[in-house]
Amino acid sequence: MGQEISLTQFEEGDFQSFRRRLEQETSLLNRLIDQKACSSRSPVAGFEIEAWLVDRDLRPSPINQRYLETLKDPLASPELAKFNIELNSAPVSLTGDVFARLHRQLQATWQRAHRHAESMDHHIVMIGILPTLEQADLTLSNMSDMHRYRALNEQILLARGKPVHIDIGGAEHLRFDHHDVMLESATTSFQTHIQLPAEIAHHYYNASIIASAAMVALCANSPFLFGKELWHETRIPLFEQAVESGGFEGAASGPLRRVSFGSGFARHSIIECFQENLAHFPVLLPVLQNTDTEAFAHLRLHNGTIWRWNRPLVGFDEDGAPHIRIEHRTPPAGPTVVDAIANAAFYYGLSKNLCDEIIDKGLPLTFAQAKDNFYQAARHGLDGVILWFDHSRHRLDHLFKAELLSRAVSGLQSFGVDASDIDNYLGVIRRRIVSKQNGCDWQRRFIKECHGDFTGMTEQYLVNQNAGHPVSEWIFQ
């Protein structure tokens, strides 16, 4: 959930001083984007993947501090819960054999992480929601020992003034209250990043919004929470409800939420998202940084407490030039390394194709239509029906075959991705669509056939994951 901070207790003056710095940095970023002074580097790709540490009984195990201290991998870091970790990639140019390179990188990282967990008599699992998780696991005693998480918990609950209420209706209905933000740790993701020239970043951001329905259906891997069958991608409503700190009025869009699909397309520049952050989201972590305005430390910290499913980020090139990245947060973790890289390939390709069309012809859907598509897809997966550019409704599995896969191919070709990479990784996606088996579908079939055996399902899931075959090939043994 972002960078570490040095304080957990704040006074009113801290909020006022932080906001002044935030206003200065937002204004500076606006000027730099207007003056075309941000990085114009060719597109760069990267990712973050979150994972679970489980014991031999396949229950969440709160050992991430000891695990990470002994793993000694600079690309590995703790997450909110002591039973979660995050693995990062080094950025690579989005061209040529980019996905083969990302695949080798993630495979090597995952193998080291897996072997290290085995050496500690544990397992590591990449999955959207761990099927063996219980609500009793999500306590403050299992929160990672970082100031950031303690402060976020305190500030979010202070803003809410009441317990977190979860109400998710799907195939079954789950309703309960929780008294801290630890529910967020039940949702683990595969987050892709793309760095783009600032002058086109808002077009790619809008394209990512439109692509989100296809992505969340394609990658769904979180059908169960606490033994209940809910949405195909239950992470979506769970995360939105788990970290909600109250609505803030946002012009015609109504209340703005800290975890959401967003409030609208960016019309003229990506700066609009950062201006919305400033105008409509109260500061949660007012930690003053002893940095120049050009470091954007306060803007980046504040942006890290607003979780749009597609989120713009500010970073820096090796030469210090500021750059814009788009973080796509809809896919869950897993089921395998090759599935994750194939998901990234499809996202980059589809979004590039849509971005080019938006630049050429304008936006093909309203934001309200794209938003409705997203939640329909998260709820129903590949069976979901969405409104598409011809103003007709299409079932997503049919739309993939008829149009979306070919769009992704075209987008990757325009990036200059090698034909072999396109064939290999979009081939994984094509076979998933033909078999109509993503991680969610496999889990639901297992539980139906094996009469609710969540531990047995997790055990078989782990066997399949470690074998490395794409989820479209998974069978029951």
Side-chain angles (χ1 to χ4, degrees):
M1 289 177 72
Q3 69 200 70
E4 178 58 314
I5 61 174
S6 57
L7 299 172
T8 59
Q9 301 292 320
F10 309 109
E11 299 177 354
E12 182 58 32
D14 297 323
F15 289 91
Q16 295 172 357
S17 298
F18 188 98
R19 183 170 177 85
R20 285 194 295 270
R21 297 291 300 275
L22 181 59
E23 289 171 348
Q24 293 168 3
E25 292 173 13
T26 305
S27 178
L28 175 60
L29 183 61
N30 188 16
R31 291 198 303 274
L32 292 178
I33 291 175
D34 281 347
Q35 296 166 4
K36 296 182 170 50
C38 293
S39 173
S40 58
R41 185 177 178 184
S42 297
V44 176
F47 61 78
E48 307 164 21
I49 190 165
E50 299 161 349
W52 299 78
L53 293 164
V54 300
D55 60 22
R56 286 293 171 181
D57 294 325
L58 303 177
R59 296 272 295 119
S61 184
I63 63 164
N64 69 359
Q65 182 175 351
R66 180 163 56 95
Y67 176 86
L68 291 168
E69 286 174 351
T70 50
L71 179 65
K72 298 178 180 178
D73 187 335
L75 294 178
S77 59
E79 268 292 321
L80 172 61
K82 292 179 180 177
F83 41 74
N84 295 146
I85 64 167
E86 179 180 280
L87 303 172
N88 292 272
S89 72
V92 297
S93 296
L94 213 171
T95 192
D97 63 342
V98 53
F99 300 110
R101 284 178 284 149
L102 287 172
H103 191 172
R104 288 193 296 269
Q105 187 180 148
L106 179 55
Q107 188 67 51
T109 299
W110 187 256
Q111 286 293 346
R112 285 194 302 274
H114 166 71
R115 287 194 296 268
H116 190 63
E118 290 280 318
S119 74
M120 299 176 68
D121 202 31
H122 277 67
H123 301 289
I124 185 169
V125 188
M126 51 177 151
I127 191 170
I129 297 175
L130 186 70
T132 58
L133 180 73
E134 299 174 2
Q135 188 178 356
D137 298 317
L138 301 173
T139 65
L140 292 181
S141 64
N142 281 334
M143 180 181 283
S144 292
D145 295 324
M146 295 179 68
H147 294 313
R148 175 185 180 86
Y149 299 137
R150 303 287 169 182
L152 268 176
N153 181 68
E154 181 176 320
Q155 293 300 316
I156 287 174
L157 294 183
L158 185 65
R160 288 182 60 88
K162 57 185 178 180
V164 176
H165 181 66
I166 301 297
D167 189 342
I168 306 172
E172 300 178 86
H173 201 137
L174 182 63
R175 184 187 295 115
F176 63 94
D177 288 341
H178 201 79
H179 295 276
D180 52 60
V181 299
M182 283 294 287
L183 281 170
E184 187 276 334
S185 66
T187 66
T188 47
S189 306
F190 176 66
Q191 300 160 16
T192 55
H193 290 212
I194 179 168
Q195 177 185 333
L196 297 148
E199 56 266 28
I200 66 166
H202 66 296
H203 294 304
Y204 200 93
Y205 171 73
N206 294 338
S208 297
I209 287 172
I210 294 172
S212 293
M215 285 298 297
V216 77
L218 175 70
C219 306
N221 195 25
S222 314
F224 299 104
L225 176 63
F226 306 150
K228 296 283 190 178
E229 183 178 340
L230 303 171
W231 290 21
H232 278 233
E233 191 46 49
T234 303
R235 280 174 47 258
I236 302 303
L238 180 59
F239 192 15
E240 291 190 353
Q241 296 177 32
V243 192
E244 183 48 57
S245 58
F248 308 99
E249 290 301 320
S253 62
L256 303 185
R257 305 290 175 175
R258 293 197 96 97
V259 184
S260 75
F261 195 63
S263 63
F265 291 124
R267 293 294 172 177
H268 305 290
S269 168
I270 200 66
I271 192 63
E272 294 163 24
C273 294
F274 298 100
Q275 291 170 334
E276 181 177 271
N277 291 352
L278 173 66
H280 296 294
F281 293 98
V283 172
L284 285 183
L285 301 178
V287 181
L288 293 175
Q289 310 289 311
N290 185 23
T291 58
D292 294 334
T293 306
E294 291 78 7
F296 300 112
H298 304 83
L299 180 146
R300 296 169 76 194
L301 180 57
H302 185 53
N303 189 49
T305 66
I306 301 157
W307 297 274
R308 297 177 183 89
W309 291 112
N310 295 280
R311 179 167 65 175
L313 305 173
V314 175
F316 297 92
D317 287 354
E318 294 84 351
D319 63 2
H323 68 236
I324 300 295
R325 300 196 309 277
I326 305 301
E327 179 186 51
H328 182 66
R329 305 172 55 83
T330 65
T336 66
V337 168
V338 69
D339 283 306
I341 301 302
N343 293 343
F346 181 81
Y347 161 69
Y348 290 128
L350 177 60
S351 296
K352 176 60 163 64
N353 176 268
L354 296 176
C355 178
D356 291 344
E357 183 165 326
I358 290 169
I359 292 171
D360 184 42
K361 300 179 181 178
L363 289 161
L365 295 174
T366 68
F367 180 80
Q369 290 165 342
K371 181 178 179 179
D372 182 66
N373 285 347
F374 174 69
Y375 290 106
Q376 289 295 322
R379 183 185 290 269
H380 301 292
L382 293 170
D383 290 328
V385 177
I386 68 169
L387 184 71
W388 200 235
F389 300 175
D390 60 359
H391 306 294
S392 298
R393 296 195 173 273
H394 300 266
R395 232 175 70 159
L396 271 160
D397 57 340
H398 298 161
L399 191 61
F400 270 94
K401 296 173 185 175
E403 182 175 336
L404 297 179
L405 277 165
S406 61
R407 281 183 173 271
V409 170
S410 296
L412 294 180
Q413 288 172 338
S414 66
F415 273 132
V417 175
D418 289 350
S420 58
D421 258 27
I422 296 173
D423 291 344
N424 288 340
Y425 295 101
L426 292 190
V428 171
I429 301 300
R430 186 171 289 106
R431 290 189 291 275
R432 192 186 307 168
I433 298 302
V434 170
S435 67
K436 204 177 175 186
Q437 178 166 281
N438 56 22
C440 165
D441 294 314
W442 183 88
Q443 290 185 55
R444 293 168 75 215
R445 289 169 185 154
F446 188 104
I447 289 301
K448 182 177 180 180
E449 294 191 15
C450 298
H451 310 293
D453 182 2
F454 287 96
T455 300
M457 180 178 75
T458 307
E459 181 178 22
Q460 185 61 56
Y461 181 101
L462 190 60
V463 168
N464 289 337
Q465 184 170 93
N466 291 335
H469 303 301
V471 69
S472 62
E473 301 175 11
W474 289 13
I475 58 175
F476 306 132
Q477 297 179 358

